[in-house]
């Protein structure tokens, strides 16, 4: 059985959300980050960076939430057939992890960066229900989780972005989101 390693209030919840959406059985291994379990030899054998999340699937291990999401999507037949379509999914997943999340976390540049980044996302969501297109997909987990964290952790108001507001509400109402993300967000 696949094992997902994470700490409370970590990006492991994003991977957990996708596992729940896929209906993939998994074991969640909660590491005590305050006690430094993520810096001990057993975990460092999975992820030498000592960060969470990581997964172990048989003899295979992988770390970095975006890489794990893409691996799970491919493993479970959720990626399109063309290289170009897969590249677009990679693009949005990397954008969520490397660009949007950094803009969200960096309070010094947040007010300048977010409007520039959210405008095009909002425009895209006015023409389709999900970032993935007509159907919910891995990109919606990657980017949707970051947008939801903006509301839940940073109290961002997306009211200037009607499509993003509706999108985030729609995602937060999903059963798998509630099971994974909301449960981990409770103090």
């Amino acid at each position: 059985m696949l094992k997902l390693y994470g700490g409370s209030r970590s990006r492991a919840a994003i991977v957990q959300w996708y596992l729940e959406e896929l209906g993939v059985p998994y074991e969640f291994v909660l590491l005590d980050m305050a006690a430094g379990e993520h810096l001990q030899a057993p975990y460092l054998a999975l992820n030498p960076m000592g960060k969470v999340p990581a997964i172990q699937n048989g003899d295979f291990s992988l770390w970095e939430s975006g890489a794990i999401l893409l691996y799970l999507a491919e493993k479970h037949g959720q990626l399109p057939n063309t290289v170009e379509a897969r590249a677009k999914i990679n693009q949005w997943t990397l954008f969520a992890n490397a660009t949007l999340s950094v803009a969200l976390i960096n309070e010094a540049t947040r007010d300048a960066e977010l409007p520039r980044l959210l405008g095009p996302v909002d425009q895209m969501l006015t023409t389709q229900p999900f970032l993935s297109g007509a159907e919910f997909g891995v990109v919606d987990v990657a980017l949707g989780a970051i947008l939801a964290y903006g509301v839940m952790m940073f109290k961002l108001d997306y009211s200037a972005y009607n499509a993003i507001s509706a999108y985030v509400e729609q995602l937060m109402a999903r059963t798998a989101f509630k099971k994974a993300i909301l449960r981990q967000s409770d103090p």
Side-chain angles (χ1 to χ4, degrees), residues 17 20 23 64 68 70 76 91 96 104 107 113 119 138 144-145 183:
W17 175 20
E20 291 291 334
E64 278 297 322
I68 295 168
L70 294 170
H76 297 283
Q91 168 188 273
L104 185 70
E107 194 173 344
E113 281 292 297
V138 67
R183 182 179 69 205

Side-chain angles (χ1 to χ4, degrees), residues 1-178:
M1 174 182 290
L2 184 140
K3 289 183 179 183
L4 168 60
Y5 295 83
S8 62
R9 295 177 171 239
S10 73
R11 286 189 186 211
I14 299 171
V15 175
Q16 187 177 19
W17 175 20
Y18 195 47
L19 287 166
E20 291 291 334
E21 291 284 356
L22 293 172
V24 172
Y26 65 95
E27 175 188 346
F28 186 80
V29 180
L30 181 62
L31 299 173
D32 186 342
M33 306 290 280
E37 280 188 302
H38 61 298
L39 301 173
Q40 301 302 313
Y43 184 72
L44 291 173
L46 294 175
N47 182 354
M49 302 303 165
K51 301 292 227 169
V52 295
I55 62 167
Q56 186 171 23
N57 196 7
D59 292 336
F60 178 72
S61 61
L62 188 65
W63 43 273
E64 278 297 322
S65 61
I68 295 168
L69 291 175
L70 294 170
Y71 162 77
L72 291 170
E74 184 167 351
K75 180 141 183 91
H76 297 283
Q78 300 299 304
L79 293 181
N81 294 330
T82 70
V83 171
E84 292 78 9
R86 287 191 306 275
K88 290 290 186 181
I89 289 171
N90 293 341
Q91 168 188 273
W92 281 107
T93 302
L94 294 171
F95 169 78
N97 284 357
T99 304
L100 185 60
S101 67
V102 171
L104 185 70
I105 291 167
N106 189 342
E107 194 173 344
T109 60
R110 185 184 306 147
D111 290 343
E113 281 292 297
L114 283 183
R116 187 172 61 81
L117 300 175
L118 295 179
V121 173
D122 191 65
Q123 179 59 41
M124 182 180 219
L125 288 170
T126 63
T127 63
Q128 59 193 49
F130 298 103
L131 288 170
S132 298
E135 301 291 325
F136 178 87
V138 67
V139 168
D140 299 295
V141 173
L143 193 61
I146 302 302
L147 290 170
Y149 285 155
V151 172
M152 296 175 348
M153 296 156 100
F154 299 100
K155 307 300 183 213
L156 291 184
D157 177 10
Y158 294 130
S159 60
Y161 308 97
N162 294 332
I164 287 176
S165 290
Y167 175 71
V168 171
E169 283 182 34
Q170 176 185 0
L171 295 179
M172 291 175 76
R174 295 180 75 86
T175 301
F177 181 95
K178 290 177 187 176

